[in-house]
Amino acid sequence: GGAVFVENDGANFTDCSFNNNSASTGGAVFVKNDGANFTGCSFTNNSVDKEGGAVYIDGSGVSSFNNCSFTNNNASTGGAIYTKKDKTLIKDSKFTENNATVGQAIKTEKDMSISNSEFMGNGEYCIDVKLGANVTTDNVLYGYSPGPK
């Protein structure tokens, strides 16, 4: 990750801002093995060449995002978040104008739960789900508003 690499024991982040970071994978944060928990964090203008414009998760625990915002993050896959192994819980969060070729806001290979969140301006296919993964949504608002070409 461009700012933080989390390995093994997991981590908790509260009221953090991750801005203008870059890496090959996980523009701001790379989570390996145990999960990580983010509360009240913002991820803005982070970028990668590969997966996870803001966050890349390749772990065996559960990762969560509560009351977080993801704005203008860029990747080839998973503009804001790429989840490879962890189950991920997203609640009360906003995804705005993130960009990727696959999964403009999120790419997930594992189960995910999204509630009370909104996706605006991320593109027509803002969440890409690998076959076999289960994504549940509750009270999620989607809005597609492409900018000028």
Side-chain angles (χ1 to χ4, degrees):
V4 178
F5 178 76
V6 177
E7 186 173 19
N8 296 328
D9 293 332
N12 295 306
F13 299 90
T14 303
D15 298 327
C16 297
S17 294
F18 298 94
N19 303 319
N20 303 308
N21 297 288
S22 63
S24 62
T25 303
V29 180
F30 186 122
V31 178
K32 185 172 182 176
N33 297 331
D34 285 351
N37 302 300
F38 300 87
T39 302
C41 296
S42 66
F43 299 84
T44 307
N45 297 324
N46 299 289
S47 62
V48 295
D49 297 327
K50 298 178 183 176
E51 296 104 357
V55 181
Y56 179 85
I57 301 170
D58 185 8
S60 57
V62 175
S63 289
S64 67
F65 298 89
N66 188 17
N67 196 31
C68 292
S69 65
F70 297 84
T71 307
N72 198 35
N73 298 289
N74 294 282
S76 64
T77 306
I81 299 173
Y82 184 104
T83 300
K84 190 168 184 177
K85 293 183 182 174
D86 273 358
K87 178 176 183 177
T88 305
L89 310 173
I90 299 171
K91 184 177 179 185
D92 300 319
S93 295
K94 294 182 180 184
F95 294 80
T96 308
E97 297 181 2
N98 298 286
N99 186 40
T101 304
V102 177
Q104 285 91 342
I106 297 172
K107 165 68 177 176
T108 184
E109 295 187 18
K110 288 296 182 180
D111 294 349
M112 179 176 283
S113 172
I114 306 170
S115 63
N116 302 320
S117 296
E118 64 180 53
F119 293 81
M120 294 294 171
N122 296 288
E124 188 174 2
Y125 303 103
C126 61
I127 302 172
D128 186 82
V129 181
K130 183 177 180 178
L131 186 63
N134 182 32
V135 173
T136 59
T137 60
D138 180 40
N139 196 30
V140 175
L141 177 64
Y142 299 96
Y144 175 58
S145 54
K149 291 186 177 191

